[in-house]
Amino acid sequence: MTVYEELQARGLIAQVTDEEEIRELVNNGKATFYIGFDPTADSLHVGHFMALCLMKRLQMAGNTPIALIGGGTGMIGDPSGRSDMRQMMTVETIQHNCECFKKQMSRFIDFSDGKAMMVNNADWLMNLNYIEVLREVGPHFSVNRMLTHECYKQRMERGLTFLEFNYMIMQSYDFYMLYQKYGCNMQFGGDDQWANMLGGTELIRRKLGEDAYAMTITLLLNSEGKKMGKTQSGAVWLDPNKTSPFDFYQYWRNVADADVLKCLRMLTFLPLEQIDEMDKWEGSQLNQAKEILAYELTSLVHGEEEAKKAQEGARALFSMGNAADMPTTELTEEDFTEDAIDVISLLVKAELVPTRSEGRRAIQQGGVSIDGEKVTDIYHSVAKADIPEDGLVLKRGKKKFKKICVK
């Protein structure tokens, strides 16, 4: 199976501009491709996973990845699929986030000896002047055509600012500059970026001619990748200080039955033949597939040792034993009143509920337990003396839990 065929078989590709050309480039290690990352936080999250895994796969086949950090575009809002503008950041914050990104990306991508590049679009966007943009770029974009794109339609009812309107031009200019500076001949992105990416290929065609245009490929990633990064509690981060390896493992251990094989194909490096065998699995065997998924991805992000610890901790939880690597909340003297703490305060302290009222509802609905014993009384208290030295397990629902210890 060729590289391109494997990308298809794993469900990674939704749409391309020139399938024959992209097949030729990636299969023969001739692609220099970029994927953009906006430095809106100091950590990547699992919504970036598909892009990172794709970059790793293609680099392993001899192609050259460019991780484009949006230090310039990050200075303005991106209207793509969003109802509100992003918060503007300082240059110092953006630079700090970029450094964090590279450290995390290095677990996936080899940046040594020119095998990959990390580039910041602030290097060219911040030096542009307004007249230059109007003269050199402006004539190649049709306002009427831009307004037909869904990313702008969503904003038209409440009003689209001129600042937001320029995002497509800036992203298109990125591809134009990457082509000229680094020979970048391919761009990848999600479906919400399709219009912006096509703007880049069109700008190259208009500015540099048909010969240049023929070497630019736009590949649309399957949109399922971004959905994986969204949970009810917010993003699941790759930074262990934001999402512990145990919580990271548990996130993947608890994916829906319908999604586990899809995630295994898209995000792990297990052979497709092995994953195809799992298609026959049913019932409890699906839990085994989820364990495999969780272990593989935790190992990829946090290393094999942390993956083993997380797996052991999760298994201990399910057997209601004491898990050394379970996420822990430590209580101090200030948390106790007359050497006891009520269960609602305990739920809030452990961040298993955001408010006391939600904690009350969780208890009334039968969703709270302590060391396997269901709590039914909203006024139930836990005495300090009853908390074992190695802690107790506070659980809300089937998937949220914390070990509670006294500091």
Side-chain angles (χ1 to χ4, degrees), residues 67-85:
L68 180 67
I69 306 299
T73 43
M75 300 295 287
I76 70 167
D78 175 4
S80 302
R82 300 174 178 87
S83 58
D84 298 310
M85 282 180 57

Side-chain angles (χ1 to χ4, degrees), residues 296-353:
E296 290 294 323
L297 297 187
T298 306
S299 180
L300 186 61
V301 174
H302 298 296
E304 196 168 342
E305 183 178 348
E306 290 296 337
K308 287 178 180 177
K309 288 181 182 178
Q311 186 176 68
E312 290 168 3
R315 288 174 175 173
L317 172 71
F318 283 110
S319 64
M320 292 315 300
N322 287 318
D325 297 291
M326 193 181 299
T328 301
T329 293
E330 291 188 332
L331 302 179
T332 64
E333 289 296 332
E334 289 74 21
D335 294 312
F336 294 95
T337 301
E338 296 181 356
D339 288 330
I341 181 171
D342 67 274
V343 68
I344 295 178
S345 296
L346 199 56
L347 286 165
V348 174
K349 175 74 175 180
E351 299 180 337
L352 295 178
V353 297

Side-chain angles (χ1 to χ4, degrees), residues 156-173:
M156 289 300 290
E157 289 186 9
R158 72 157 180 81
L160 178 69
T161 69
F162 185 69
L163 181 147
E164 298 165 85
F165 195 63
N166 275 268
Y167 193 88
M168 180 185 290
I169 295 174
M170 295 174 74
Q171 185 169 332
S172 299
Y173 192 76

Side-chain angles (χ1 to χ4, degrees), residues 273-318:
E273 296 80 9
Q274 181 180 345
I275 299 171
D276 289 341
E277 281 295 312
M278 298 181 198
D279 263 327
K280 305 169 188 174
W281 292 5
E282 297 178 349
S284 61
Q285 285 183 305
L286 284 177
N287 287 330
Q288 184 182 345
K290 292 178 184 181
E291 279 199 346
I292 292 170
L293 172 69
Y295 183 87
E296 290 294 323
L297 297 187
T298 306
S299 180
L300 186 61
V301 174
H302 298 296
E304 196 168 342
E305 183 178 348
E306 290 296 337
K308 287 178 180 177
K309 288 181 182 178
Q311 186 176 68
E312 290 168 3
R315 288 174 175 173
L317 172 71
F318 283 110

Side-chain angles (χ1 to χ4, degrees), residues 16 45 66 125 180 305 318 345-346 403:
V16 299
H45 55 73
I66 299 176
L125 291 179
Q180 293 195 95
E305 183 178 348
F318 283 110
S345 296
L346 199 56
K403 180 195 286 188

